[in-house]
Amino acid sequence: MVRADLRMIATSISYCQFHVVRLLRLQPGASIAVAFGSLVLLASLIAFVAQWRLAQDAAQELASMHLNVLPSKTKDRFDTGFARPDLPEFNSGALVSMLNKRASEIAVPLDEVTYVLDESANQPFLRYRVTLSIATSYSLTRRFIGDLGVAVPNMMLDAISCTRENIALPTPTCDLAFSAFYRKGGRG
């Protein structure tokens, strides 16, 4: 049985050798192109396998890091799985005075200021929308927004739109929309 297998292997090798030599004699250019293409394919396959292994290792490392980062307390979490932010009690007067104080500190004139309380029943927080217009330079507008972000960390910029009626005017008019978030329950 083993002799028959060895004889079959030897016959297969000599058969392949015959056809390879025949191909080299009849089509030497095509033979070299096929050999080169085979080497390129083999190198590409080896590179693919190496990159695939690196990706698998990175995915495992990311999964292990994700498990280490998850918080251990589950009582301070929303149903969405995000940690509950520490929101202040709702106090509209404090927000209005902080807004006016920051505007006067950097000499930004506030215009058309509106406040709207969005008290949705399906949200675990209160959203206080503030829209206003200012007519000042771009640098002072950026500074005003940055100062508000530091002074009122529970407030974020929703939208900004700046226009100039005339290109010769040095200061644009910017419409700003902010949202301040507060915990439910408090009234101010």
Side-chain angles (χ1 to χ4, degrees):
M1 183 74 172
V2 174
R3 279 187 174 190
D5 289 339
L6 289 176
R7 195 175 314 157
M8 191 167 83
I9 290 172
T11 305
S12 297
I13 289 174
S14 61
Y15 179 77
C16 289
Q17 182 181 6
F18 169 76
H19 284 290
V20 167
V21 169
R22 181 174 170 241
L23 182 64
L24 281 171
R25 285 184 186 156
L26 294 175
Q27 298 289 332
S31 302
I32 292 172
V34 168
F36 181 72
S38 299
L39 287 175
V40 168
L41 182 64
L42 181 65
S44 299
L45 182 63
I46 290 171
F48 172 76
V49 169
Q51 290 298 319
W52 183 75
R53 286 183 151 221
L54 285 174
Q56 292 296 327
D57 292 343
Q60 287 178 350
E61 184 178 341
L62 181 65
S64 68
M65 289 172 64
H66 179 68
L67 291 176
N68 292 339
V69 173
L70 288 176
S72 59
K73 296 180 182 178
T74 56
K75 65 179 182 177
D76 292 335
R77 297 166 68 90
F78 292 127
D79 294 336
T80 60
F82 294 106
R84 181 182 301 260
D86 188 24
L87 296 175
E89 292 281 332
F90 177 63
N91 186 347
S92 63
L95 179 67
V96 171
S97 66
M98 182 60 70
L99 189 69
N100 289 328
K101 178 182 174 188
R102 293 296 174 190
S104 65
E105 284 177 356
I106 58 174
V108 173
L110 298 179
D111 191 25
E112 300 176 17
V113 182
T114 60
Y115 302 94
V116 176
L117 180 61
D118 181 15
E119 191 173 5
S120 177
N122 59 355
Q123 293 177 343
F125 53 83
L126 297 174
R127 182 176 186 177
Y128 198 45
R129 296 176 193 255
V130 180
T131 57
L132 55 100
S133 294
I134 56 176
T136 187
S137 68
Y138 289 117
S139 61
L140 284 178
T141 301
R142 284 193 304 268
R143 182 173 171 200
F144 177 68
I145 293 169
D147 284 356
L148 276 180
V150 172
V152 188
N154 60 311
M155 188 158 104
M156 64 179 9
L157 179 67
D158 289 334
I160 182 170
S161 173
C162 296
T163 58
R164 276 196 267 189
E165 290 183 24
N166 186 350
I167 196 71
L169 293 175
T171 58
T173 300
C174 294
D175 296 323
L176 305 173
F178 294 96
S179 288
F181 298 95
Y182 296 96
R183 104 178 66 129
K184 277 192 172 179
R187 291 278 177 232

